[in-house]
Amino acid sequence: MSTALAVRSSTESKNITVILQKNDLFEELVALTDRIRQRAFGFFQNRGASRGNDLEDWFKAESELLQQVPVEMSETDEAYTVRAEVPGFDAKNLTVRAGQNSICIHGKKEQKKDKETEYTEVSSQEFCRCIDLPLAIDPNKVSAHLDNGVLKLDLQKVAPAKKLEAKAA
């Protein structure tokens, strides 16, 4: 089940896809891990297949393929607010997955190469940031706003069940 949320933007209004179930998140993370693995293996081969730098190769591949996304989270009694810096990403490049106790922000841009370009370095065109939340939220009440490269998510907490006290007659 997916719902597109309206995005308030300083320039134009677009949609960020908010997915309420995380069934396909696992497949996306497996594919992302596979791309990192392939790039790390390329570093290994370029070194002449010498062993001993596996972790260094992995981190180098990860830093080339994934962009770091700083986040800031604040909380009130009713909601969480998450701000993520996603400069260069449009609303159409962003997907937010809302679960009951977590939120995942995924951004991916297609990198276009000119036919005349002879050499280019790999640049970060993708990120995935998952945040575990201390208390449950209502995935149906997530709002997303993108303004000047800052994604703001408002996450409504699930209302705690009211305690009923038994009164003696």
Side-chain angles (χ1 to χ4, degrees):
M1 177 178 187
S2 67
T3 304
L5 296 180
V7 176
R8 287 184 293 177
S9 176
S10 59
T11 55
E12 56 188 288
S13 179
K14 294 188 179 183
N15 288 330
I16 295 176
T17 303
V18 176
I19 299 173
L20 304 179
Q21 297 175 339
K22 299 195 310 183
N23 296 344
D24 60 342
L25 178 62
F26 181 75
E27 288 86 17
E28 281 189 36
L29 291 176
V30 167
L32 182 59
T33 302
D34 191 49
R35 288 194 304 274
I36 294 169
R37 181 192 55 77
Q38 290 172 356
R39 183 70 177 139
F41 185 71
F43 292 136
F44 170 74
Q45 287 180 318
N46 289 341
R47 280 195 337 279
S50 62
R51 298 195 182 271
N53 296 79
D54 300 344
L55 199 54
E56 182 181 315
D57 291 343
W58 185 270
F59 289 145
K60 187 175 179 183
E62 201 173 59
S63 69
E64 280 189 4
L65 297 175
L66 293 177
Q67 178 175 329
Q68 294 294 321
V69 176
V71 296
E72 176 185 290
M73 187 169 92
S74 58
E75 177 181 13
T76 64
D77 290 339
E78 297 83 29
Y80 295 107
T81 300
V82 175
R83 286 183 176 80
E85 293 181 23
V86 293
F89 285 86
D90 294 328
K92 65 182 178 186
N93 305 123
L94 299 172
T95 304
V96 176
R97 285 180 175 69
Q100 201 168 15
N101 290 91
S102 65
I103 194 88
C104 289
I105 306 165
H106 182 251
K108 184 175 182 179
K109 292 191 291 187
E110 296 298 321
Q111 188 175 6
K112 296 179 182 179
K113 295 180 183 178
D114 291 339
K115 293 181 180 181
E116 298 174 8
T117 303
E118 292 183 30
Y119 173 78
T120 185
E121 292 184 356
V122 178
S123 62
S124 298
Q125 298 294 312
E126 185 171 5
F127 71 87
C128 185
R129 183 72 190 258
C130 295
I131 302 167
D132 291 326
L133 302 169
L135 297 173
I137 61 167
D138 184 349
N140 295 307
K141 294 183 179 177
V142 173
S143 65
H145 311 282
L146 183 64
D147 189 24
N148 293 326
V150 177
L151 175 65
K152 180 183 173 200
L153 303 174
D154 294 312
L155 317 168
Q156 295 298 313
K157 292 180 183 177
V158 173
K162 292 183 179 181
K163 294 181 182 179
L164 299 176
E165 291 185 28
K167 294 183 180 181

